[in-house]
Amino acid sequence: MAEPTYTRKELRRAICAEARMEFYKRYPDYELTPDSDCSTTTLKCSKLVQAANSWKSSYIWVMSTDNARDGLERYITASGTDGSLTLEWPCDTDQVPSTDDTFEIISMWPPSFIHEKINDVVRDEFRVYPNVVTDESIVIQEEKLEYDLTGLVPLPWQILQVYVERTTSGLYGTITSWSTDGSQFGDTTMDLSGIDTDWKASFYYGSGAGQLFSIQSVDTATSLITPAAPATDMPGTDTKLMLWDPTDQDLAWYPYLYCRFDQTEFPDKLYLYEDPSASYGLRLRLVYLAQSTEMEADSDVTTVPKYFVVHKVLAMLHDSLAEDNRADHRHHTTTAEKHDQLARDFAARNPRRIPQRFLWQEPRSYATGRALQINPLDW
């Protein structure tokens, strides 16, 4: 079962509710819908029935399916009893909130600052709550023992497991025809009958080697393959092609222990001790730990537990106010310490469960020379 995920919107609302902001105490849905008579300088909502200037010095955050309006943030300089919120500076005409949108009112900190602190926690606390990633994008190439890991997304922190794919449905060929834009390629001598969109293709030797493709369609008359995305590096007549059905479950992925990395943490290179010739054109599966990626939109998700993020962020937010003035220094300092302790206690009680780590080995055949033989003196 996968780890639970939390959206940025869910985390922001939990933080604001925990901070007991007025909007989140008064409106249980944590959002309202603007009226139809908003302008570039005013947002109106008939449900904002509080006294004049109740929302002054707060911030609005607009959520919309329209990219122009989504994420609109403005400081509120005044609010009226008619539900109007005066914006500190006008928005563009295409950013005027509509009845299709929703909004929140956030106190004390700008929503963008809260989002920044959420990303700080998600990114920097990866040693406490790393992201567990499974990648199957690396193609096993002929006569190649060194593989670059810098193209993986997210970048690996520590590699836990490596597997080699196996199949009974593989077809091998050599590229004889291809389009100049990489949108089609194939071996005109191959029989593509029976191949469908479940299949995958790869270049495992020669020009363009290392590319992996999902199949969009095949032309059995010309033996040409149309991939879902075109080749970025063009093949040539020296390019070897592999086709296989990854849904074929006759053979399981094989745990591969005979490998090493250029460094234990944040490796750039994977080195195989032996050439897995039986799996040319198939894939390597890497299970690794990584930093969680930053969340740029409200719909983006993280697996870092909500409780931990909420209290860690509140600790950082209150710490940011500790030096504002002497009167509030003690309050914000003690509140920051309280939330930080709650986050640490939660992490101690609820550690991330990490998959088993393989014990990397050197094959017996790799140890050569008399000094490394089991019987060095020929006894």
Side-chain angles (χ1 to χ4, degrees), residues 171-314:
L171 297 176
Y172 289 91
T174 302
I175 295 293
T176 58
S177 178
W178 67 92
S179 61
T180 56
D181 61 357
S183 61
Q184 283 191 320
F185 52 78
D187 180 344
T188 54
T189 65
M190 294 181 72
D191 179 8
L192 301 185
S193 58
I195 295 178
D196 56 29
T197 55
D198 288 335
W199 285 56
K200 290 190 178 294
S202 70
F203 300 157
Y204 67 91
Y205 182 81
S207 303
Q211 296 182 80
L212 177 68
F213 308 93
S214 295
I215 295 179
Q216 179 175 305
S217 63
V218 296
D219 187 332
T220 55
T222 61
S223 295
L224 289 178
I225 300 162
T226 301
T232 53
D233 295 326
M234 293 302 105
T237 54
D238 63 336
T239 303
K240 293 184 179 181
L241 170 70
M242 166 69 166
L243 302 174
W244 78 101
D245 182 2
T247 62
D248 174 12
Q249 299 187 17
D250 288 342
L251 295 173
W253 292 67
Y254 184 76
Y256 194 83
L257 308 180
Y258 304 123
C259 54
R260 62 183 179 87
F261 309 94
D262 61 336
Q263 50 198 29
T264 303
E265 294 193 353
F266 298 106
D268 294 328
K269 299 290 184 180
L270 162 66
Y271 301 98
L272 305 182
Y273 283 111
E274 295 181 332
D275 190 9
S277 57
S279 295
Y280 284 161
L282 297 175
R283 298 169 293 174
L284 291 175
R285 173 187 290 166
L286 272 60
V287 179
Y288 63 89
L289 305 179
Q291 285 182 309
S292 293
T293 53
E294 295 187 359
M295 293 183 284
E296 302 296 337
D298 274 359
S299 58
D300 290 348
V301 299
T302 181
T303 59
V304 181
K306 180 170 69 174
Y307 187 94
F308 179 82
V309 174
V310 167
H311 289 287
K312 199 69 178 178
V313 168
L314 282 171

Side-chain angles (χ1 to χ4, degrees), residues 55-102:
W55 303 109
K56 182 180 178 180
S57 301
S58 297
Y59 301 84
I60 65 160
W61 177 260
V62 176
M63 295 155 287
S64 175
T65 55
D66 185 283
N67 290 334
R69 301 192 300 272
D70 188 48
L72 176 66
E73 176 184 327
R74 287 294 186 274
Y75 183 73
I76 300 170
T77 57
S79 63
T81 56
D82 61 346
S84 62
L85 303 174
T86 303
L87 310 183
E88 182 180 30
W89 50 285
C91 61
D92 297 336
T93 54
D94 62 345
Q95 293 180 308
V96 175
S98 78
T99 54
D100 295 328
D101 305 334
T102 57

Side-chain angles (χ1 to χ4, degrees), residues 320-355:
S320 71
L321 298 177
E323 304 302 328
D324 274 10
N325 58 70
R326 291 183 179 180
D328 293 335
H329 175 81
R330 183 176 180 82
H331 164 70
H332 289 300
T333 300
T334 56
T335 304
E337 291 174 352
K338 180 194 75 172
H339 285 295
D340 188 64
Q341 187 62 51
L342 288 171
R344 284 185 289 163
D345 290 346
F346 178 86
R349 294 192 308 268
N350 302 274
R352 170 111 333 148
R353 304 302 178 186
I354 304 300

